[in-house]
Amino acid sequence: MYRRVIWTLFSSFLIFTALATANQEEEQVVSSQTVPVISISGAIGPAVGDYVIKEIQRANLRSNSPAVIISIDTPGGLSSSLRDINQHILASKIPVLCLVYPPGARAASAGTYILYACHIAAMSPATTLGAATPVQIGGGGMPGGTQEEKPSEPSAMEKKILNDSIAYIRSLAQLRGRNVEWAEKAVREAATLSATEALELNVINLMAESSQDLLNQLNGLTLEMEHQQLEMDFSNAQLDPREPDLRNKFLATITDPNVAYILMMIGVYGLLLEFYSPSFGIAGITGAISLLVALYAFQLLPVNYAGMGLMLLGIALIVAESFIPSFGLLGIGGIVAFVLGSVFLIDSDLPELRVSMSLIYTIAIGSAALIVFVLKTLMNLRKKQVVSGEEALIGIEATVLNDFATRGYVHVEGERWEATSDRPVAKGEKVNIVAVDGLTLKVKKVSRSQQNAGNTSKH
């Protein structure tokens, strides 16, 4: 009886505790709001685009995220990644707040488009935006070289790219009710503004010193979302900085043009080394994996296939030099093609999205050193007179097989030869071969001084 009462009371206590804990957790979830903070730092490429898009989608799926903040500090990036990001910003069911941060940061080129696409655009003091003119694919001249003189009249393709970019940023400005004229000027004339100037010209909505300051200023304000008035409430909101996951970090690493370039070279030379010494070993496995990863990275980057073709031609000529010696002609041509292909490999105006010239020169010099080594080795081999056949027997020491005065038999390198001598020799004596007459060897008796020297050397 007592046991039943005790068990009933204990069960009721457990149920009450569980319900109280659940209600408390539910109250905490309802009362606590988190605002994810996405940071764009550096050039906007495939990895950054994937990271930003995933975080925007994640914030839209969470019920306790009233908004999402994008912190920007970028010199620009790829048009494809930019448009993917903006599509998800425009489709977001919660406000996307954009802040150019920290002080000294910039939202140049692609960053300006993202700033215009966000529901709220803000800048920290001492930040800038603008310079959104699209660069012609393959333009910018030779990295590190002089800029080629451009014609005064833009080409038809340049006009198409420029007009498309102008229409795109004008549509974003009209959607968010911001300065349309300056948006067009930023694209057409590469105009730039400071944070204070941008606020005065209605390019941005406000200035904020930090993400928390941005939330404090927006708290209680009304924003139009999907043709409805939304009152923003950030009184209980907490910032939630979001870092890229392992996949994004790996993608960011391999889509670095320098890393992808090195991986491709490791892949090519690894496979060549495997072909030189056939055996599916470390060189072949490393080369195959590196080449596949490099190809995956290049298909995400703006690759110029003419540059890729020049690189492959250069590598083929360098390899051909080791098989078909041309006294450096193929090798020099291969290095020239390789360097030109490396320069033209990536179609981007941003230094962050180009292959470093120092890296190109280093690999080119290494390839040139390899060619010099191969040529030097071949020349040394050609200088050596390779003796073969009967002439190779002259000067070799033979052993007499039987006593003879003028004609008999000797043992030479495992073979029995007929020999003639101008002096009598005894069985077991050592003789030198001085000439070859058909199948007969002419031998000469080894002097005692030569025998003593041979014995001394043996001891």
Side-chain angles (χ1 to χ4, degrees):
M1 180 69 178
Y2 291 106
R3 291 181 179 179
R4 291 183 180 178
V5 173
I6 293 173
W7 177 252
T8 303
L9 291 175
F10 181 70
S11 301
S12 302
F13 174 76
L14 291 178
I15 295 172
F16 175 78
T17 302
L19 291 175
T21 303
N23 290 334
Q24 185 177 3
E25 291 178 353
E26 185 177 357
E27 289 177 0
Q28 290 178 352
V29 171
V30 173
S31 60
S32 64
Q33 295 177 330
T34 58
V35 178
V37 180
I38 307 169
S39 297
I40 298 178
S41 179
I44 299 173
V48 174
D50 184 72
Y51 155 63
V52 174
I53 289 171
K54 281 188 175 181
E55 291 301 330
I56 292 177
Q57 292 175 336
R58 178 179 176 275
N60 276 268
L61 294 175
R62 296 179 61 180
S63 58
N64 63 333
S65 294
V68 58
I69 295 177
I70 300 180
S71 177
I72 292 184
D73 180 13
T74 178
L78 302 180
S79 175
S80 57
S81 300
L82 156 70
R83 290 185 179 257
D84 289 341
I85 292 174
N86 277 357
Q87 285 179 1
H88 285 79
I89 290 176
L90 298 175
S92 177
K93 302 298 182 182
I94 61 175
V96 179
L97 319 177
C98 189
L99 175 64
V100 185
Y101 179 84
R106 56 178 170 166
S109 191
T112 303
Y113 291 86
I114 294 177
L115 197 67
Y116 264 94
C118 290
H119 299 86
I120 296 293
M123 297 177 67
S124 296
T127 57
T128 60
L129 84 160
T133 303
V135 180
Q136 183 185 11
I137 292 179
M142 294 280 288
T146 57
Q147 185 78 12
E148 293 183 2
E149 185 179 351
K150 293 186 177 180
S152 57
E153 183 68 22
S155 65
M157 180 57 67
E158 288 175 331
K159 289 180 179 179
K160 288 181 180 180
I161 296 174
L162 181 63
N163 291 334
D164 177 68
S165 300
I166 291 173
Y168 183 48
I169 201 168
R170 283 179 64 91
S171 65
L172 295 175
Q174 292 168 357
L175 177 66
R176 301 306 184 199
R178 302 197 193 115
N179 194 321
V180 178
E181 289 73 21
W182 187 87
E184 180 176 345
K185 188 177 180 181
V187 177
R188 189 181 298 278
E189 302 177 15
T192 58
L193 289 176
S194 65
T196 304
E197 294 168 341
L199 183 62
E200 292 175 354
L201 295 177
N202 189 33
V203 175
I204 61 175
N205 300 101
L206 53 92
M207 289 179 60
E209 295 184 354
S210 64
S211 298
Q212 187 61 56
D213 184 32
L214 176 62
L215 294 183
N216 294 338
Q217 293 189 49
L218 293 176
N219 187 38
L221 297 181
T222 301
L223 177 67
E224 184 176 348
M225 287 285 298
E226 298 182 346
H227 307 291
Q228 295 181 357
Q229 298 299 317
L230 173 67
E231 183 178 352
M232 292 180 285
D233 181 12
F234 302 124
S235 55
N236 297 319
Q238 295 180 351
L239 298 176
D240 179 23
R242 302 296 303 171
E243 296 293 333
D245 55 21
L246 290 177
R247 180 182 181 277
N248 290 123
K249 291 180 179 178
F250 176 74
L251 193 63
T253 301
I254 64 172
T255 51
D256 183 313
N258 294 313
V259 175
Y261 182 76
I262 293 173
L263 286 173
M264 186 183 71
M265 299 310 302
I266 292 175
V268 171
Y269 283 113
L271 292 178
L272 288 176
L273 181 61
E274 186 67 29
F275 292 149
Y276 283 144
S277 55
S279 62
F280 199 73
I282 296 177
I285 295 174
T286 305
I289 294 175
S290 300
L291 191 59
L292 288 175
V293 173
L295 291 176
Y296 173 75
F298 280 132
Q299 65 94 20
L300 296 175
L301 293 169
V303 174
N304 185 320
Y305 290 101
M308 178 72 76
L310 280 171
M311 284 189 63
L312 295 178
L313 175 62
I315 293 172
L317 291 176
I318 292 172
V319 173
E321 180 65 44
S322 60
F323 288 103
I324 312 172
S326 62
F327 300 98
L329 183 60
L330 292 176
I332 294 173
I335 291 176
V336 172
F338 176 81
V339 171
L340 289 175
S342 300
V343 172
F344 300 143
L345 182 62
I346 303 294
D347 283 333
S348 176
D349 181 57
L350 295 175
E352 294 86 351
L353 294 177
R354 288 202 304 254
V355 180
S356 170
M357 291 302 298
S358 300
L359 178 61
I360 294 174
Y361 293 149
T362 301
I363 295 182
I365 292 172
S367 301
L370 177 62
I371 292 175
V372 171
F373 172 76
V374 171
L375 290 176
K376 186 177 180 180
T377 303
L378 291 175
M379 294 300 292
N380 290 336
L381 290 176
R382 290 183 178 183
K383 288 180 180 179
K384 293 181 179 179
Q385 294 181 355
V386 181
V387 181
S388 60
E390 296 178 349
E391 296 180 357
L393 296 174
I394 298 176
I396 293 179
E397 193 176 79
T399 304
V400 179
L401 293 178
N402 62 292
D403 298 340
F404 64 89
T406 57
R407 185 179 291 272
Y409 293 94
V410 295
H411 186 268
V412 183
E413 294 186 347
E415 297 179 347
R416 183 174 180 268
W417 283 75
E418 186 178 3
T420 60
S421 176
D422 56 351
R423 294 182 182 182
V425 292
K427 180 179 179 180
E429 277 191 293
K430 300 295 183 181
V431 293
N432 284 333
I433 301 172
V434 295
V436 179
D437 184 11
L439 298 178
T440 303
L441 303 178
K442 292 182 180 181
V443 298
K444 184 178 181 180
K445 191 174 181 179
V446 177
S447 63
R448 287 191 177 183
S449 61
Q450 290 177 333
Q451 290 181 357
N452 294 332
N455 294 332
T456 302
S457 62
K458 289 180 181 178
H459 291 291

